Amino acid sequence: MSEAERDGAVTARPAGLRAAAVLRLPVAASGWRWLPLSVVVIVADRAVKLWITHHFAPAERVRVLPVLDIILTYNTGAAFSFLADASGWQRWMFIVLALGVSAALIVWMRRLDARIHGLLACGLALIVGGALGNMIDRLTTGRVVDFIHVHWGAHYFPAFNIADSAITIGAALLLLDAWRENRTTERVKN
């Protein structure tokens, strides 16, 4: 045993104590700093969906650009209408999935130091906002309102909404954060 260890200068912290130290991080300094972004996504998504459903008939289309239409569509499934033809059980599965994933991401955000992991926390907040935005649709009507329809000539991408866009941008930020962290790690090694 070294002299420093005997004097108590060097001590190993058990995993439980490390986790407790992370939770002692002030809320304002944690990834929760980005939770208002989740709220903005949810409110914007809900407001636009309510406006679209009030002003458009199902399948009504307005050409905004040669490659972009606004159209009212409904999706009982997930991305690309996955499980849309199922008997209805998928509604509850997607609600539980959205709640579970959102809860896990919010816990993860609490453990992040926002000064160091701001990009990661921002991406997670966007994903949480998008997941909960679509979950509200499923909970209230059993289907998700989609209205942004991108196409090129005769090739159409499935319609989507603000919540889907937030999830996609959030996932892209997670990938960017991982790429940046990987580059930083490689520089430190060299």
Side-chain angles (χ1 to χ4, degrees), residues 164-188:
D164 298 333
S165 300
I167 292 169
T168 302
I169 294 167
L173 291 179
L174 294 184
L175 292 173
L176 178 60
D177 179 72
W179 177 74
R180 286 178 55 200
E181 190 164 320
N182 187 40
R183 286 189 59 204
T184 302
T185 305
E186 287 176 4
R187 283 186 195 146
V188 170

PDB file of all heavy atoms in Angstrom, residues 164-188:
ATOM      1  N   ASP A 164     -41.956  13.687 -35.942  1.00  0.00           N
ATOM      2  CA  ASP A 164     -41.049  12.799 -36.692  1.00  0.00           C
ATOM      3  C   ASP A 164     -39.764  13.532 -37.061  1.00  0.00           C
ATOM      4  O   ASP A 164     -38.669  12.961 -36.981  1.00  0.00           O
ATOM      5  CB  ASP A 164     -41.723  12.310 -37.979  1.00  0.00           C
ATOM      6  CG  ASP A 164     -42.965  11.481 -37.737  1.00  0.00           C
ATOM      7  OD1 ASP A 164     -43.064  10.839 -36.672  1.00  0.00           O
ATOM      8  OD2 ASP A 164     -43.841  11.461 -38.625  1.00  0.00           O
ATOM      9  N   SER A 165     -39.902  14.795 -37.460  1.00  0.00           N
ATOM     10  CA  SER A 165     -38.724  15.598 -37.808  1.00  0.00           C
ATOM     11  C   SER A 165     -37.812  15.783 -36.604  1.00  0.00           C
ATOM     12  O   SER A 165     -36.584  15.686 -36.726  1.00  0.00           O
ATOM     13  CB  SER A 165     -39.156  16.967 -38.346  1.00  0.00           C
ATOM     14  OG  SER A 165     -39.949  16.816 -39.496  1.00  0.00           O
ATOM     15  N   ALA A 166     -38.397  16.036 -35.431  1.00  0.00           N
ATOM     16  CA  ALA A 166     -37.595  16.201 -34.208  1.00  0.00           C
ATOM     17  C   ALA A 166     -36.850  14.917 -33.874  1.00  0.00           C
ATOM     18  O   ALA A 166     -35.669  14.960 -33.495  1.00  0.00           O
ATOM     19  CB  ALA A 166     -38.494  16.619 -33.043  1.00  0.00           C
ATOM     20  N   ILE A 167     -37.515  13.774 -34.012  1.00  0.00           N
ATOM     21  CA  ILE A 167     -36.858  12.491 -33.743  1.00  0.00           C
ATOM     22  C   ILE A 167     -35.689  12.288 -34.703  1.00  0.00           C
ATOM     23  O   ILE A 167     -34.589  11.883 -34.292  1.00  0.00           O
ATOM     24  CB  ILE A 167     -37.866  11.331 -33.844  1.00  0.00           C
ATOM     25  CG1 ILE A 167     -38.878  11.409 -32.698  1.00  0.00           C
ATOM     26  CG2 ILE A 167     -37.148   9.978 -33.841  1.00  0.00           C
ATOM     27  CD1 ILE A 167     -40.072  10.481 -32.848  1.00  0.00           C
ATOM     28  N   THR A 168     -35.894  12.587 -35.973  1.00  0.00           N
ATOM     29  CA  THR A 168     -34.841  12.411 -36.983  1.00  0.00           C
ATOM     30  C   THR A 168     -33.660  13.335 -36.724  1.00  0.00           C
ATOM     31  O   THR A 168     -32.499  12.912 -36.765  1.00  0.00           O
ATOM     32  CB  THR A 168     -35.419  12.651 -38.392  1.00  0.00           C
ATOM     33  OG1 THR A 168     -36.504  11.743 -38.599  1.00  0.00           O
ATOM     34  CG2 THR A 168     -34.374  12.455 -39.463  1.00  0.00           C
ATOM     35  N   ILE A 169     -33.942  14.603 -36.442  1.00  0.00           N
ATOM     36  CA  ILE A 169     -32.865  15.554 -36.155  1.00  0.00           C
ATOM     37  C   ILE A 169     -32.144  15.156 -34.866  1.00  0.00           C
ATOM     38  O   ILE A 169     -30.914  15.217 -34.788  1.00  0.00           O
ATOM     39  CB  ILE A 169     -33.406  16.999 -36.075  1.00  0.00           C
ATOM     40  CG1 ILE A 169     -33.916  17.445 -37.452  1.00  0.00           C
ATOM     41  CG2 ILE A 169     -32.355  17.967 -35.543  1.00  0.00           C
ATOM     42  CD1 ILE A 169     -34.748  18.712 -37.434  1.00  0.00           C
ATOM     43  N   GLY A 170     -32.903  14.725 -33.851  1.00  0.00           N
ATOM     44  CA  GLY A 170     -32.290  14.266 -32.606  1.00  0.00           C
ATOM     45  C   GLY A 170     -31.366  13.084 -32.826  1.00  0.00           C
ATOM     46  O   GLY A 170     -30.249  13.038 -32.287  1.00  0.00           O
ATOM     47  N   ALA A 171     -31.802  12.120 -33.638  1.00  0.00           N
ATOM     48  CA  ALA A 171     -30.953  10.955 -33.938  1.00  0.00           C
ATOM     49  C   ALA A 171     -29.696  11.386 -34.684  1.00  0.00           C
ATOM     50  O   ALA A 171     -28.599  10.878 -34.414  1.00  0.00           O
ATOM     51  CB  ALA A 171     -31.745   9.928 -34.751  1.00  0.00           C
ATOM     52  N   ALA A 172     -29.830  12.343 -35.603  1.00  0.00           N
ATOM     53  CA  ALA A 172     -28.663  12.853 -36.323  1.00  0.00           C
ATOM     54  C   ALA A 172     -27.687  13.533 -35.364  1.00  0.00           C
ATOM     55  O   ALA A 172     -26.466  13.372 -35.490  1.00  0.00           O
ATOM     56  CB  ALA A 172     -29.106  13.817 -37.422  1.00  0.00           C
ATOM     57  N   LEU A 173     -28.212  14.266 -34.379  1.00  0.00           N
ATOM     58  CA  LEU A 173     -27.339  14.900 -33.382  1.00  0.00           C
ATOM     59  C   LEU A 173     -26.625  13.862 -32.523  1.00  0.00           C
ATOM     60  O   LEU A 173     -25.461  14.055 -32.154  1.00  0.00           O
ATOM     61  CB  LEU A 173     -28.127  15.872 -32.512  1.00  0.00           C
ATOM     62  CG  LEU A 173     -28.633  17.137 -33.207  1.00  0.00           C
ATOM     63  CD1 LEU A 173     -29.433  18.006 -32.237  1.00  0.00           C
ATOM     64  CD2 LEU A 173     -27.487  17.933 -33.807  1.00  0.00           C
ATOM     65  N   LEU A 174     -27.306  12.753 -32.206  1.00  0.00           N
ATOM     66  CA  LEU A 174     -26.648  11.677 -31.453  1.00  0.00           C
ATOM     67  C   LEU A 174     -25.489  11.098 -32.257  1.00  0.00           C
ATOM     68  O   LEU A 174     -24.412  10.836 -31.712  1.00  0.00           O
ATOM     69  CB  LEU A 174     -27.641  10.569 -31.101  1.00  0.00           C
ATOM     70  CG  LEU A 174     -28.772  10.900 -30.144  1.00  0.00           C
ATOM     71  CD1 LEU A 174     -29.592   9.654 -29.846  1.00  0.00           C
ATOM     72  CD2 LEU A 174     -28.272  11.516 -28.867  1.00  0.00           C
ATOM     73  N   LEU A 175     -25.717  10.887 -33.546  1.00  0.00           N
ATOM     74  CA  LEU A 175     -24.646  10.367 -34.403  1.00  0.00           C
ATOM     75  C   LEU A 175     -23.497  11.361 -34.507  1.00  0.00           C
ATOM     76  O   LEU A 175     -22.329  10.972 -34.439  1.00  0.00           O
ATOM     77  CB  LEU A 175     -25.194  10.040 -35.795  1.00  0.00           C
ATOM     78  CG  LEU A 175     -26.163   8.870 -35.875  1.00  0.00           C
ATOM     79  CD1 LEU A 175     -26.763   8.770 -37.268  1.00  0.00           C
ATOM     80  CD2 LEU A 175     -25.473   7.577 -35.485  1.00  0.00           C
ATOM     81  N   LEU A 176     -23.829  12.645 -34.658  1.00  0.00           N
ATOM     82  CA  LEU A 176     -22.789  13.677 -34.724  1.00  0.00           C
ATOM     83  C   LEU A 176     -21.996  13.727 -33.429  1.00  0.00           C
ATOM     84  O   LEU A 176     -20.761  13.820 -33.439  1.00  0.00           O
ATOM     85  CB  LEU A 176     -23.425  15.033 -35.022  1.00  0.00           C
ATOM     86  CG  LEU A 176     -22.476  16.238 -35.073  1.00  0.00           C
ATOM     87  CD1 LEU A 176     -21.422  16.046 -36.149  1.00  0.00           C
ATOM     88  CD2 LEU A 176     -23.262  17.524 -35.295  1.00  0.00           C
ATOM     89  N   ASP A 177     -22.678  13.638 -32.297  1.00  0.00           N
ATOM     90  CA  ASP A 177     -22.004  13.638 -31.001  1.00  0.00           C
ATOM     91  C   ASP A 177     -21.077  12.433 -30.870  1.00  0.00           C
ATOM     92  O   ASP A 177     -19.942  12.574 -30.410  1.00  0.00           O
ATOM     93  CB  ASP A 177     -23.030  13.644 -29.872  1.00  0.00           C
ATOM     94  CG  ASP A 177     -22.362  13.628 -28.511  1.00  0.00           C
ATOM     95  OD1 ASP A 177     -21.781  14.670 -28.133  1.00  0.00           O
ATOM     96  OD2 ASP A 177     -22.412  12.573 -27.842  1.00  0.00           O
ATOM     97  N   ALA A 178     -21.543  11.267 -31.279  1.00  0.00           N
ATOM     98  CA  ALA A 178     -20.710  10.055 -31.209  1.00  0.00           C
ATOM     99  C   ALA A 178     -19.490  10.191 -32.117  1.00  0.00           C
ATOM    100  O   ALA A 178     -18.372   9.815 -31.740  1.00  0.00           O
ATOM    101  CB  ALA A 178     -21.529   8.827 -31.591  1.00  0.00           C
ATOM    102  N   TRP A 179     -19.685  10.751 -33.299  1.00  0.00           N
ATOM    103  CA  TRP A 179     -18.582  10.944 -34.231  1.00  0.00           C
ATOM    104  C   TRP A 179     -17.554  11.914 -33.653  1.00  0.00           C
ATOM    105  O   TRP A 179     -16.350  11.661 -33.705  1.00  0.00           O
ATOM    106  CB  TRP A 179     -19.126  11.452 -35.566  1.00  0.00           C
ATOM    107  CG  TRP A 179     -18.077  11.755 -36.577  1.00  0.00           C
ATOM    108  CD1 TRP A 179     -17.339  10.862 -37.295  1.00  0.00           C
ATOM    109  CD2 TRP A 179     -17.628  13.060 -36.972  1.00  0.00           C
ATOM    110  NE1 TRP A 179     -16.467  11.520 -38.118  1.00  0.00           N
ATOM    111  CE2 TRP A 179     -16.625  12.875 -37.943  1.00  0.00           C
ATOM    112  CE3 TRP A 179     -17.991  14.349 -36.606  1.00  0.00           C
ATOM    113  CZ2 TRP A 179     -15.980  13.942 -38.542  1.00  0.00           C
ATOM    114  CZ3 TRP A 179     -17.348  15.411 -37.211  1.00  0.00           C
ATOM    115  CH2 TRP A 179     -16.350  15.202 -38.166  1.00  0.00           C
ATOM    116  N   ARG A 180     -18.043  13.029 -33.077  1.00  0.00           N
ATOM    117  CA  ARG A 180     -17.141  14.008 -32.470  1.00  0.00           C
ATOM    118  C   ARG A 180     -16.381  13.402 -31.298  1.00  0.00           C
ATOM    119  O   ARG A 180     -15.185  13.643 -31.128  1.00  0.00           O
ATOM    120  CB  ARG A 180     -17.918  15.241 -32.014  1.00  0.00           C
ATOM    121  CG  ARG A 180     -18.347  16.130 -33.156  1.00  0.00           C
ATOM    122  CD  ARG A 180     -19.159  17.312 -32.701  1.00  0.00           C
ATOM    123  NE  ARG A 180     -18.455  18.080 -31.692  1.00  0.00           N
ATOM    124  CZ  ARG A 180     -19.045  18.923 -30.860  1.00  0.00           C
ATOM    125  NH1 ARG A 180     -20.347  19.111 -30.921  1.00  0.00           N
ATOM    126  NH2 ARG A 180     -18.349  19.595 -29.979  1.00  0.00           N
ATOM    127  N   GLU A 181     -17.085  12.635 -30.467  1.00  0.00           N
ATOM    128  CA  GLU A 181     -16.427  12.018 -29.319  1.00  0.00           C
ATOM    129  C   GLU A 181     -15.387  11.001 -29.764  1.00  0.00           C
ATOM    130  O   GLU A 181     -14.307  10.911 -29.181  1.00  0.00           O
ATOM    131  CB  GLU A 181     -17.464  11.366 -28.408  1.00  0.00           C
ATOM    132  CG  GLU A 181     -16.856  10.923 -27.091  1.00  0.00           C
ATOM    133  CD  GLU A 181     -17.909  10.647 -26.042  1.00  0.00           C
ATOM    134  OE1 GLU A 181     -18.885  11.400 -25.967  1.00  0.00           O
ATOM    135  OE2 GLU A 181     -17.719   9.662 -25.311  1.00  0.00           O
ATOM    136  N   ASN A 182     -15.698  10.260 -30.826  1.00  0.00           N
ATOM    137  CA  ASN A 182     -14.755   9.277 -31.360  1.00  0.00           C
ATOM    138  C   ASN A 182     -13.502   9.976 -31.885  1.00  0.00           C
ATOM    139  O   ASN A 182     -12.388   9.516 -31.650  1.00  0.00           O
ATOM    140  CB  ASN A 182     -15.419   8.446 -32.463  1.00  0.00           C
ATOM    141  CG  ASN A 182     -14.544   7.304 -32.915  1.00  0.00           C
ATOM    142  OD1 ASN A 182     -13.893   6.657 -32.117  1.00  0.00           O
ATOM    143  ND2 ASN A 182     -14.534   7.062 -34.219  1.00  0.00           N
ATOM    144  N   ARG A 183     -13.680  11.087 -32.587  1.00  0.00           N
ATOM    145  CA  ARG A 183     -12.531  11.844 -33.092  1.00  0.00           C
ATOM    146  C   ARG A 183     -11.693  12.382 -31.947  1.00  0.00           C
ATOM    147  O   ARG A 183     -10.469  12.368 -31.998  1.00  0.00           O
ATOM    148  CB  ARG A 183     -13.004  12.989 -33.984  1.00  0.00           C
ATOM    149  CG  ARG A 183     -13.488  12.494 -35.336  1.00  0.00           C
ATOM    150  CD  ARG A 183     -13.750  13.602 -36.293  1.00  0.00           C
ATOM    151  NE  ARG A 183     -12.539  14.390 -36.496  1.00  0.00           N
ATOM    152  CZ  ARG A 183     -12.529  15.646 -36.888  1.00  0.00           C
ATOM    153  NH1 ARG A 183     -13.658  16.276 -37.121  1.00  0.00           N
ATOM    154  NH2 ARG A 183     -11.405  16.297 -37.069  1.00  0.00           N
ATOM    155  N   THR A 184     -12.331  12.868 -30.893  1.00  0.00           N
ATOM    156  CA  THR A 184     -11.615  13.382 -29.719  1.00  0.00           C
ATOM    157  C   THR A 184     -10.807  12.271 -29.058  1.00  0.00           C
ATOM    158  O   THR A 184      -9.648  12.457 -28.692  1.00  0.00           O
ATOM    159  CB  THR A 184     -12.604  14.004 -28.715  1.00  0.00           C
ATOM    160  OG1 THR A 184     -13.324  15.046 -29.376  1.00  0.00           O
ATOM    161  CG2 THR A 184     -11.870  14.565 -27.503  1.00  0.00           C
ATOM    162  N   THR A 185     -11.430  11.097 -28.909  1.00  0.00           N
ATOM    163  CA  THR A 185     -10.745   9.943 -28.316  1.00  0.00           C
ATOM    164  C   THR A 185      -9.541   9.532 -29.147  1.00  0.00           C
ATOM    165  O   THR A 185      -8.472   9.240 -28.597  1.00  0.00           O
ATOM    166  CB  THR A 185     -11.730   8.751 -28.161  1.00  0.00           C
ATOM    167  OG1 THR A 185     -12.850   9.195 -27.404  1.00  0.00           O
ATOM    168  CG2 THR A 185     -11.070   7.573 -27.494  1.00  0.00           C
ATOM    169  N   GLU A 186      -9.691   9.525 -30.474  1.00  0.00           N
ATOM    170  CA  GLU A 186      -8.572   9.166 -31.342  1.00  0.00           C
ATOM    171  C   GLU A 186      -7.433  10.172 -31.233  1.00  0.00           C
ATOM    172  O   GLU A 186      -6.261   9.794 -31.241  1.00  0.00           O
ATOM    173  CB  GLU A 186      -9.043   9.065 -32.795  1.00  0.00           C
ATOM    174  CG  GLU A 186      -9.879   7.830 -33.055  1.00  0.00           C
ATOM    175  CD  GLU A 186     -10.431   7.777 -34.484  1.00  0.00           C
ATOM    176  OE1 GLU A 186     -10.088   8.683 -35.293  1.00  0.00           O
ATOM    177  OE2 GLU A 186     -11.194   6.858 -34.768  1.00  0.00           O
ATOM    178  N   ARG A 187      -7.757  11.454 -31.107  1.00  0.00           N
ATOM    179  CA  ARG A 187      -6.709  12.481 -30.959  1.00  0.00           C
ATOM    180  C   ARG A 187      -5.957  12.306 -29.647  1.00  0.00           C
ATOM    181  O   ARG A 187      -4.753  12.498 -29.590  1.00  0.00           O
ATOM    182  CB  ARG A 187      -7.331  13.879 -31.005  1.00  0.00           C
ATOM    183  CG  ARG A 187      -7.696  14.310 -32.383  1.00  0.00           C
ATOM    184  CD  ARG A 187      -8.166  15.747 -32.362  1.00  0.00           C
ATOM    185  NE  ARG A 187      -8.840  16.060 -33.613  1.00  0.00           N
ATOM    186  CZ  ARG A 187      -9.851  16.865 -33.735  1.00  0.00           C
ATOM    187  NH1 ARG A 187     -10.342  17.488 -32.680  1.00  0.00           N
ATOM    188  NH2 ARG A 187     -10.382  17.097 -34.896  1.00  0.00           N
ATOM    189  N   VAL A 188      -6.662  11.963 -28.588  1.00  0.00           N
ATOM    190  CA  VAL A 188      -6.026  11.778 -27.285  1.00  0.00           C
ATOM    191  C   VAL A 188      -5.088  10.569 -27.330  1.00  0.00           C
ATOM    192  O   VAL A 188      -4.006  10.605 -26.759  1.00  0.00           O
ATOM    193  CB  VAL A 188      -7.098  11.612 -26.182  1.00  0.00           C
ATOM    194  CG1 VAL A 188      -6.475  11.175 -24.877  1.00  0.00           C
ATOM    195  CG2 VAL A 188      -7.860  12.912 -26.000  1.00  0.00           C
TER     196      VAL A 188
END
